[in-house]
Structure formats: C-alpha cells, structure tokens
Amino acid sequence: MGSPLSETHDPAATGLLTPNVTLPQFCMGVLSSTLHLLGDCSLEVLVKVCELLHWLMQLVEECISPALWTKQSPLARETAATLLTVIHEAGALLLSLKEARDQQDLSLCRQKHVCVSLLLTRLLGTVLLPDQTSSLFPNNSRIVLSTILTDLPLIDVCKDIPETVGKYLAAMDGQAYETYMQCLSICSAIKKCCQFLMEFQQRSGRESLMLQLASDSLPCLPYHQHPLFVKYCVELSSDVCRESHPVASLVIDSRRLLLQLLSYCKVEVQLSAYQACLEITENSLHVNHAAEP
C-alpha cells in the first residue's frame, strides 16, 4: 500500500512537507493557501478557517519580526518576498469582498471581511514597522488601509485598530491620515449627538451624562440638521439652572455649553441658540414676540 504522500501531485503542497522548509516558509505557504480557502469557503467552514488563521498568526509572531527586512541572506530575502505576496493577497481579498457584497450572501461576506481586516491588522503589527511601509508597499496599499480604518462597526469594537493601522497610513500618506482622523472625529461626534437626543427625549434625568454628550457633539453641528439639537441643549441648560437645589458643577457645565453654542463658529448655530433662548424667555414671561433675532 503506497503512502498518501506519493499520491500528492501539487508541488507546492509537497514542498511544505519536506524537512528543508523553515518555520517562516511554512507559515507563509499555509497562510497563502488559507487565504485562498477563505475567499471561497462556506459559512460552515469559515469558523475552522478563522481558527487556523489564529494559530498561524501565533506561529508568525514567534518566528518573524520587522528585522526580517534588513537581513541579506537568500532565505531572508525569499521569506520577505513571500510575506509581501501574502500581504498583497490579503489586501486584494479584502477589496474583492467589499465589491462582492451585492453578489454574495451579505452576512457571510461581512464575516469574511472582518476576518481579513483583523488578520491584516495583526500581521502588519507583527512583521512591519510603520517607517518601513512607504519603501516596501506600493501606493495603492493605502486603499486597503483606508478600507480597514473606515469600517466603523469594526473599529467601534476593536479599539486598537485606528492606532495600529493608522500608523501605517500616516507613514504612506500623511494627508490621507489627517483627513481620516478628522472624519473619525466627526463620526464620533455624530454618534454622541444621537445618544444625546435619545437621552433627552427619554427624559432620563441624567443631566451630567447629557451635558457631556452635548459638549462632545459640538464638532459635528455643521454636518447635519442642528436646530433640534441646539434647542434641546438650551432647554437642558435651563432645566439644570432652574432646579430647586442645583448642582454647582452642572450649572457651570450648562452655562459653558450655552456660551459655546452662542459663540459657535457657524452663524446658523448661533441663531438657532439665540432663537431657543428667546423661546424659553417668552414662555417664562408669558409674552410673544419679545424680540426678533
């Protein structure tokens, strides 16, 4: 009875089983094959593929470091070239998954997308220093990095992704990174704005939280319909100051919020704040048309 190895006709697969293969070569070969499997696998197989990638990355962390790129031996150069190919394959798979969401099962495609994003983040952080990026990576790699960084649901769960991947984007394209950070700040402010509106409409009574959310929301006001937000902020400030036993720190925060709105860099926001203050004054004095803005 012949050995199963004698029936293997794939040279690449046979090569991985020879004793001359080093651990880095083994990791790169299996990692490349696993990425191809990931692109075509079903939901049932995906869990096993992700587990395999996890264990492979543990091996990679043990046997490869950023020092690989400075070594001049033939084996090191071959391993570095294979590593670049694997990173390129992972990036290409990520972009293809992004484009294929309309043709494939959305849930499966999303899970694969997250898996590849996490793999690339971990792989880059293990084998490459940020200042090595521009000399080793082609310019179109920034598209892959931007794809990971703009996946807001993912980075909301994995807080280390913006810092880890952002370093590589900054090294490749400082202007793109600056734009990304501005967008990320605005998106965070919009999220806080939505939380504030929900808290206020529910009348939760958590004035300290609402004041903090409102203050954190201010950078996003030019990017959405702000009058309702401004009105709620003014009403909150009024409620805090009119309590029978006001908390001094909350009074200070509410006044600061009101002054920030009245002196905002956009005239439209200033007018909305003035109008809201005027409405509260009219209601308190039981008069109409006390003044016109």
Side-chain angles (χ1 to χ4, degrees), residues 16-34:
L16 289 174
L17 300 175
T18 62
N20 295 326
V21 174
T22 64
L23 183 56
Q25 288 175 316
F26 171 80
C27 291
M28 292 302 100
V30 178
L31 192 55
S32 178
S33 299
T34 307

Side-chain angles (χ1 to χ4, degrees), residues 214-256:
S215 179
D216 293 341
S217 304
L218 295 180
C220 74
L221 294 188
Y223 300 94
H224 62 83
Q225 298 295 322
H226 59 266
L228 182 63
F229 169 83
V230 174
K231 179 180 178 182
Y232 285 174
C233 287
V234 174
E235 291 180 4
L236 174 62
S237 299
S238 176
D239 293 342
V240 168
C241 295
R242 289 193 302 174
E243 289 183 355
S244 55
H245 300 287
V247 180
S249 59
L250 295 183
V251 171
I252 293 174
D253 290 341
S254 65
R255 289 175 177 173
R256 181 185 299 113

Side-chain angles (χ1 to χ4, degrees), residues 27-254:
C27 291
M28 292 302 100
V30 178
L31 192 55
S32 178
S33 299
T34 307
L35 283 171
H36 289 293
L37 177 60
L38 177 63
D40 299 325
C41 72
S42 63
L43 183 60
E44 293 74 16
V45 180
L46 180 60
V47 176
K48 297 298 182 182
V49 173
C50 291
E51 290 179 359
L52 177 58
L53 289 172
H54 170 72
W55 291 113
L56 278 172
M57 280 307 306
Q58 287 198 337
L59 287 176
V60 170
E61 290 170 349
E62 291 292 330
C63 65
I64 300 179
S65 72
L68 170 70
W69 309 101
T70 61
K71 296 179 179 179
Q72 299 300 320
S73 67
L75 180 59
R77 290 199 297 267
E78 179 184 347
T79 303
T82 307
L83 180 55
L84 280 178
T85 300
V86 169
I87 294 174
H88 174 75
E89 290 174 347
L93 176 58
L94 185 70
L95 296 179
S96 67
L97 288 170
K98 181 181 179 181
E99 296 173 356
R101 289 180 183 178
D102 294 335
Q103 290 81 32
Q104 298 184 11
D105 177 71
L106 184 60
S107 176
L108 176 60
C109 201
R110 175 59 183 166
Q111 292 182 58
K112 291 181 179 181
H113 192 277
V114 170
C115 180
V116 179
S117 297
L118 294 176
L119 172 67
L120 270 170
T121 300
R122 188 174 178 184
L123 187 60
L124 289 175
T126 300
V127 304
L128 196 67
L129 296 175
D131 58 7
Q132 297 172 316
T133 310
S134 57
S135 60
L136 294 172
F137 275 21
N139 290 332
N140 58 1
S141 297
R142 67 176 181 271
I143 301 176
V144 176
L145 300 178
S146 298
T147 300
I148 299 175
L149 289 171
T150 52
D151 190 340
L152 296 182
L154 178 61
I155 65 176
D156 193 42
V157 176
C158 304
K159 306 293 186 182
D160 60 327
I161 287 181
E163 180 179 357
T164 302
V165 181
K167 293 178 181 179
Y168 297 95
L169 180 62
M172 293 191 68
D173 190 336
Q175 185 176 358
Y177 176 73
E178 183 178 350
T179 301
Y180 161 73
M181 292 303 296
Q182 292 175 350
C183 293
L184 186 64
S185 175
I186 293 168
C187 289
S188 176
I190 290 175
K191 181 180 179 180
K192 297 292 181 62
C193 180
C194 294
Q195 292 175 334
F196 168 79
L197 293 174
M198 292 176 60
E199 286 284 340
F200 189 88
Q201 291 171 349
Q202 293 171 358
R203 300 293 177 178
S204 64
R206 298 187 288 184
E207 287 87 358
S208 178
L209 173 62
M210 287 191 287
L211 285 170
Q212 184 62 52
L213 290 172
S215 179
D216 293 341
S217 304
L218 295 180
C220 74
L221 294 188
Y223 300 94
H224 62 83
Q225 298 295 322
H226 59 266
L228 182 63
F229 169 83
V230 174
K231 179 180 178 182
Y232 285 174
C233 287
V234 174
E235 291 180 4
L236 174 62
S237 299
S238 176
D239 293 342
V240 168
C241 295
R242 289 193 302 174
E243 289 183 355
S244 55
H245 300 287
V247 180
S249 59
L250 295 183
V251 171
I252 293 174
D253 290 341
S254 65

